[in-house]
Amino acid sequence: MEDGWDVAFAVLRMWFSAVVALIMFPAMFGVSLGITEVYMKVLVKTLEWATLRIQRGRGEQQRLKASPSNGIIQRGDGSMEQEIGDLRRCRPKPPVGGDFTLSDVFYFNRKGIESIVEDQVTQRFSSEELVSWNLLTRTNNDFQYISLRLTILWGLGVAIRYCLLAPLRITLAAIGLSWLVIGTSVVGLLPSSRAKNWLSELVHLMCYRICARGLSATIHYHNKENRPKKGGICVANHTSPIDVVILANDGCYAMVGQVHGGLMGVIQRSMVRSCPHIWFERSEMKDRHLVTQRLKDHVADKTKLPILIFPEGTCINNTSVMMFKKGSFEIGGTIYPVAIKYDPQFGDAFWNSAKYSMVSYLLRMMTSWAIVCNVWYLPPMEQEEGEDAVQFANRVKSAIAHQGGLVDLSWDGGLKRGKVKETLKEEQQKMYSNMVVGDDSSD
């Protein structure tokens, strides 16, 4: 029995030694030994072969249409006024005192059916459909049995992901988070000084890099000359909690968020000891003026790290950018937009919080092939004269959507859990009311 325990401890010691020597230490200093690069090349070749095999098995060279929509509804780009004007084109002259015609009903009837069959919001909170199968059977419903060789390859992939990659990644994540708690707690004991700030940034950077290796993350940063500077506000589209890890691999940020309990609370309390992160109590989050003032005080100090904010307020499936809350743009200061685009071929980074818990989501990430993404730093933007916070937010959102190749939507991401606000319904009613009582521009 003792011999068995000795062998187990020996194997465990060898495992940790290999992880520390080959992955952890290189990650801490931003060095790559080329293992990830070789792994990604083999993975790409394997997925290319699987795709060709699937196409051959179908007997046709056909690929699924890459689209955030399932293609059931073909939507027009015209406004309400244009589309109703087309319906009214052949109608008789309206009676005095109004411009309503019965044909207007068909416009609202069609819009209602379109929303029931395929609305523009719900589909943003489900995993993006892939162009070709990635051997994960998670985000592609088109796959069916093709061949024995493909099935064997899928089974081999399951064994590799769950028996080799998952234990390795869980080990790295545990090391990274433990080091983050211990390192920031120790640095927090030091008196405030430039040395403390430097050590805090170093600890944060090292820990996030270890966690990124725990996800087999391959990150391509573009336009680094536009990276957020101290005293600024970094805003980015939001797909997943790991967005923080992705961005913090290339620089340190002050985080903004609500105070949590449990493990997350332990991490938050240790982080704030060494770095001026901004954590709010639930009661404070309801007081918008208090939140805004704390953020303004942080931005006013040009020695503090840039604030990282996700103005959408919820995770979107990385096909679109939804409405930015205006609060982040009322603070003042320079806005540094960042666009993040994940490659779903290697793993689905989207967190559907209504379907998966945080632990379940992280396990899915750690049993995926890899996390591959591009990060674009956009030129800094400032509020223009005569521009209000909503207009400024929309301008920044459009820039992020354009750079990331995402659909720019005006819908509130809060519709993921709530109902449409009455004000949005009233806007549509006012638009139609103005058409009825106003002049008919189509005449």
Side-chain angles (χ1 to χ4, degrees):
M1 186 67 178
E2 293 181 359
D3 292 339
W5 282 109
D6 291 340
V7 171
F9 281 122
V11 171
L12 190 62
R13 186 166 53 250
M14 290 176 60
W15 171 261
F16 274 102
S17 298
V19 169
V20 170
L22 299 178
I23 301 177
M24 179 180 166
F25 277 134
M28 290 173 65
F29 298 101
V31 176
S32 174
L33 299 181
I35 299 175
T36 302
E37 288 76 7
V38 173
Y39 168 70
M40 291 303 300
K41 288 180 180 178
V42 173
L43 182 57
V44 169
K45 293 293 183 182
T46 303
L47 294 180
E48 288 177 351
W49 178 87
T51 300
L52 293 174
R53 189 66 185 174
I54 291 172
Q55 292 176 345
R56 192 181 310 158
R58 289 174 181 161
E60 57 183 8
Q61 298 296 321
Q62 179 183 4
R63 297 169 70 90
L64 293 173
K65 182 181 179 182
S67 170
S69 168
N70 58 24
I72 297 175
I73 301 297
Q74 296 297 325
R75 301 181 186 274
D77 296 328
S79 63
M80 177 190 292
E81 187 174 5
Q82 291 171 334
E83 294 190 35
I84 292 182
D86 291 338
L87 291 172
R88 293 177 173 184
R89 189 165 297 167
C90 300
R91 67 173 175 78
K93 185 175 179 63
V96 178
D99 196 17
F100 169 78
T101 59
L102 190 60
S103 63
D104 296 352
V105 175
F106 292 105
Y107 168 80
F108 295 103
N109 185 51
R110 178 168 59 83
K111 288 295 183 182
I113 294 174
E114 285 180 355
S115 296
I116 292 172
V117 175
E118 180 192 67
D119 69 274
Q120 291 184 314
V121 176
T122 304
Q123 57 183 307
R124 311 300 168 179
F125 302 118
S126 59
S127 296
E128 180 182 2
E129 188 70 14
L130 299 181
V131 176
S132 60
W133 189 42
N134 61 356
L135 302 179
L136 290 176
T137 66
R138 290 179 179 170
T139 59
N140 189 286
N141 299 321
D142 193 65
F143 174 73
Q144 55 186 352
Y145 176 80
I146 299 295
S147 69
L148 178 61
R149 282 196 290 177
L150 195 61
T151 303
I152 293 174
L153 179 62
W154 173 79
L156 181 62
V158 171
I160 292 174
R161 289 186 290 108
Y162 282 88
C163 299
L164 178 62
L165 295 180
L168 175 63
R169 292 167 176 172
I170 292 173
T171 301
L172 286 170
I175 293 174
L177 293 177
S178 300
W179 177 244
L180 179 64
V181 171
I182 296 172
T184 52
S185 297
V186 172
V187 173
L189 298 175
L190 301 175
S192 298
S193 63
R194 295 181 62 181
K196 178 182 179 179
N197 294 337
W198 178 79
L199 285 173
S200 175
E201 293 181 22
L202 183 63
V203 169
H204 279 82
L205 196 60
M206 287 181 173
C207 296
Y208 284 123
R209 285 175 174 172
I210 294 172
C211 291
R213 294 292 174 91
L215 296 170
S216 296
T218 300
I219 313 168
H220 306 285
Y221 298 99
H222 307 275
N223 307 322
K224 288 191 173 186
E225 66 276 9
N226 296 326
R227 280 188 295 187
K229 295 179 173 57
K230 292 185 176 181
I233 304 170
C234 174
V235 299
N237 57 300
H238 198 26
T239 304
S240 159
I242 65 173
D243 291 339
V244 174
V245 177
I246 297 299
L247 293 176
N249 254 273
D250 195 44
C252 291
Y253 297 88
M255 308 299 175
V256 179
Q258 183 177 300
V259 174
H260 291 274
L263 177 60
M264 184 62 71
V266 173
I267 296 174
Q268 286 183 323
R269 289 190 293 272
S270 61
M271 289 173 63
V272 80
R273 291 190 186 104
S274 65
C275 180
H277 298 289
I278 304 174
W279 308 128
F280 297 98
E281 296 289 349
R282 185 178 296 273
S283 58
E284 292 179 326
M285 291 293 286
K286 296 179 182 178
D287 188 344
R288 209 181 79 179
H289 296 291
L290 178 60
V291 173
T292 301
Q293 188 57 50
R294 287 188 61 183
L295 294 175
K296 284 182 177 179
D297 293 341
H298 183 101
V299 172
D301 189 345
K302 300 304 179 183
T303 64
K304 292 184 177 180
L305 295 174
I307 299 174
L308 176 58
I309 299 177
F310 300 104
E312 288 170 296
T314 190
C315 295
I316 314 297
N317 72 352
N318 211 221
T319 63
S320 314
V321 182
M322 301 187 76
M323 187 182 79
F324 278 8
K325 304 293 193 300
K326 67 177 182 178
S328 308
F329 302 87
E330 294 176 327
I331 302 171
T334 304
I335 297 291
Y336 294 88
V338 175
I340 308 173
K341 178 62 178 176
Y342 293 91
D343 189 339
Q345 179 183 9
F346 305 99
D348 181 21
F350 169 58
W351 180 35
N352 187 348
S353 56
K355 188 176 181 180
Y356 300 106
S357 66
M358 175 66 77
V359 174
S360 176
Y361 166 76
L362 291 176
L363 288 176
R364 286 170 62 86
M365 291 297 94
M366 292 181 182
T367 54
S368 295
W369 291 118
I371 297 298
V372 179
C373 70
N374 285 279
V375 175
W376 290 274
Y377 297 111
L378 280 67
M381 302 173 69
E382 295 187 357
Q383 192 168 358
E384 297 177 351
E385 186 176 354
E387 185 179 45
D388 61 27
V390 174
Q391 293 171 331
F392 186 27
N394 289 334
R395 183 160 61 91
V396 173
K397 176 169 69 75
S398 297
I400 291 175
H402 177 73
Q403 180 62 76
L406 305 168
V407 180
D408 186 2
L409 296 176
S410 58
W411 293 103
D412 183 359
L415 293 174
K416 181 178 183 179
R417 298 180 181 86
K419 296 182 179 180
V420 176
K421 295 180 179 179
E422 291 298 324
T423 54
L424 295 177
K425 298 179 184 179
E426 292 173 0
E427 286 180 9
Q428 298 294 313
Q429 294 168 354
K430 288 179 180 178
M431 288 173 61
Y432 181 66
S433 176
N434 291 334
M435 290 182 61
V436 171
V437 301
D439 293 332
D440 190 351
S441 58
S442 63
D443 284 344

